[in-house]
Amino acid sequence: MSEVALESDRFFEHVPVMLQETVDVLVHKPDGVYIDATLGGAGHTLEIIKRLSADGVLYGIDQDREAIQAAKEAVGIEPRFHAVQGNFGYIDQLIPLELHGKVDGILFDLGVSTHQIKEPGRGFSFQEEGPLDMRMSADLTITAHSIVNEWNEEDLRQLFFSYGEERLSRLIAREVVAQRPLETTQDLRRVIQEVVKGPQTVKSVARIFQALRIEVNQELERLKMGLSAGAKVLAPEGRLVAISYHSLEDRIVKQFFKSGNHQGVIEKDFYGHALKPFEEVIRGVQLPTDEEIAQNSPSRSAKLRAVSYQPMEG
Ligand SMILES: C[S@@+](CC[C@H](N)C(=O)[O-])C[C@H]1O[C@@H](n2cnc3c(N)ncnc32)[C@H](O)[C@@H]1O
C-alpha cells in the first residue's frame, strides 16, 4: 500500500457525526450550490454528493493540507466537487465570485477530526507523547509550545479560564510557569496532574488542551468570521448548518443564527418589527441519538443547528 493510500485510510477513521440529519437539512435543492466548510475526511461530503443531481456543485474547504489530499482521494473523479485549501474565515474569497449570492447551503462541522487527534505528531492528543504543536494548518505560526513556554502566568491563567473553563486555572498556570521549559504533550499533562488530583484530573487535562487548541487555531475568531462571510454568499433560502462540540462555539453559532450578528442584538425596523435574517430550519438544537453516541463517542457533545436565510425587504 502506498503512503498516500495509508494517509487517506487513516482519515477514514473519522466517523461523520449526525450524518443523515445534517445532510437532510443542508441539501434542500439537488441542483444547488453547496459548501462543506470543514471537509476533514469527506464523510459529510460523500453523502452530500449522493444527494446532488448532475447540475449540483459542491466546494469542500479545509485548512489542513493532509485533509484536502485525503478527501480528494476519497471522492475520486467527480466533476461536481472542488476541493480548496484555506481557512473558512475567508469563505467568500475561497469560492468564485460568480457564486456569491447563489450558495444554497454551507456546513460547518467544527473542531478537529479523529485523524488529527490520533496523529501523535500533531500534538492534539493528551493520551500520546507528541510535540506541543496543535496547529490545524502548517500555515499557522503560533504553536502550543510557544504559548506554554513564552506567555506570562496571568495570560496563561486567563486562557485556561476563558477557553478551557477550568476552575483551577490559576494554580495550573503557576505550575506551568514554574516547571518550564515543557517540550511535549506528556510534559504538560504531568504538570496538570500535579495540580489536579483525583477523578477530576482527566477532565482538567482535556480542558487545558482544549484552551490551547482554540488559541493556536484562533477557532472562535475564525468561526465568527466564517459565519459572517458565509451568510454574505447565501442565496435566498440558503442554509447555514453547524455542528458544534463545546459551549463556547455553540454560543457563537446560537447568537449569530438568532440575530445575524455577533453582538446578539436583534435590530428593529421603523415600526419596531424585529429584523432577523435567519429562520430556524431545526427548532433550537438537535442532538445525536443514544445509539449514535454508543457507536461513536466523539458525537456525544455534538449540537446541530440550522437556519435559512430570509433576505429583508427594502
Ligand atoms: C470535525 S472535522 C470535519 C469532519 C468531516 N465533516 C467528516 O465527516 O469527515 C473538522 C475539520 O475542519 C477543519 N477546520 C477546522 N477549522 C477550520 C477553519 N477555520 N478553516 C478551515 N478548516 C477548518 C479541520 O482541519 C478538520 O479537518
Side-chain angles (χ1 to χ4, degrees):
M1 201 184 285
S2 75
E3 254 178 62
V4 173
L6 266 172
E7 195 56 56
S8 72
D9 282 355
R10 283 196 275 126
F11 260 89
F12 276 115
E13 284 172 11
H14 185 92
V15 179
V17 170
M18 302 184 77
L19 180 61
Q20 299 302 331
E21 300 92 316
T22 301
V23 182
D24 281 352
V25 289
L26 181 74
V27 182
H28 57 112
K29 277 167 64 181
D31 55 356
V33 177
Y34 294 90
I35 303 176
D36 180 348
T38 48
L39 191 52
H44 288 95
T45 270
L46 288 170
E47 185 61 30
I48 297 167
I49 291 171
K50 275 195 213 159
R51 313 271 187 108
L52 296 181
S53 71
D55 295 327
V57 174
L58 173 61
Y59 279 78
I61 295 171
D62 205 295
Q63 62 177 331
D64 185 337
R65 286 196 170 77
E66 289 181 18
I68 292 285
Q69 182 59 30
K72 276 187 184 165
E73 284 173 38
V75 173
I77 296 168
E78 172 51 78
R80 295 168 297 177
F81 175 68
H82 310 272
V84 185
Q85 192 260 333
N87 196 300
F88 64 54
Y90 305 96
I91 209 165
D92 50 338
Q93 297 168 39
L94 297 174
I95 61 163
L97 204 54
E98 61 264 27
L99 294 182
H100 286 200
K102 301 206 172 106
V103 176
D104 296 297
I106 307 177
L107 169 63
F108 296 89
D109 177 20
L110 299 166
V112 278
S113 67
T114 305
H115 163 76
Q116 289 166 325
I117 290 184
K118 282 200 174 167
E119 177 62 57
R122 306 288 298 261
F124 288 109
S125 171
F126 57 82
Q127 314 274 17
E128 313 246 14
E129 181 74 297
L132 280 167
D133 190 324
M134 300 196 193
R135 289 170 304 155
M136 285 189 212
S137 160
D139 299 339
L140 296 165
T141 46
I142 296 173
T143 62
H145 184 274
S146 60
I147 295 174
V148 161
N149 287 291
E150 291 167 24
W151 281 28
N152 68 39
E153 187 179 320
E154 175 52 22
D155 289 348
L156 284 173
R157 182 198 70 74
Q158 186 71 35
L159 174 69
F160 298 159
F161 185 71
S162 321
Y163 289 175
E165 301 182 289
E166 169 56 50
R167 224 168 29 88
L168 296 175
S169 52
R170 184 179 301 281
L171 292 176
I172 296 172
R174 188 176 302 160
E175 202 53 30
V176 164
V177 171
Q179 298 214 23
R180 294 198 296 214
L182 303 180
E183 295 302 331
T184 69
T185 51
Q186 298 314 294
D187 288 347
L188 177 60
R189 183 180 180 153
R190 273 189 293 276
V191 171
I192 303 164
Q193 282 172 333
E194 281 175 30
V195 177
V196 191
K197 311 254 190 250
Q200 291 307 312
T201 311
V202 175
K203 283 193 179 151
S204 289
V205 175
R207 285 196 280 258
I208 299 300
F209 273 64
Q210 170 184 296
L212 287 165
R213 199 197 82 197
I214 291 175
E215 179 63 27
V216 166
N217 297 287
Q218 295 287 302
E219 288 180 35
L220 304 182
E221 199 43 47
R222 294 292 177 255
L223 173 57
K224 286 183 184 169
M225 287 169 62
L227 291 170
S228 299
K232 277 203 306 205
V233 301
L234 284 179
E237 308 286 335
R239 295 180 176 185
L240 287 181
V241 178
I243 310 174
S244 62
Y245 295 88
H246 56 77
S247 57
L248 298 169
E249 55 191 19
D250 185 55
R251 215 171 292 152
I252 291 171
V253 173
K254 184 178 170 185
Q255 180 150 296
F256 188 73
F257 283 9
K258 201 166 161 189
S259 63
N261 59 60
H262 297 297
Q263 293 71 44
V265 180
I266 298 175
E267 289 170 15
K268 301 215 165 115
D269 70 7
F270 182 73
Y271 304 102
H273 302 133
L275 296 171
K276 293 195 198 174
F278 303 120
E279 198 170 85
E280 282 184 331
V281 178
I282 291 173
R283 269 194 77 186
V285 69
Q286 190 169 348
L287 304 176
T289 60
D290 291 344
E291 196 186 345
E292 175 167 0
I293 295 170
Q295 283 168 7
N296 182 28
S297 64
S299 70
R300 67 189 176 279
S301 50
K303 286 188 173 159
L304 172 65
R305 295 183 187 272
V307 287
S308 81
Y309 173 48
Q310 309 294 321
M312 292 177 243
E313 285 161 27

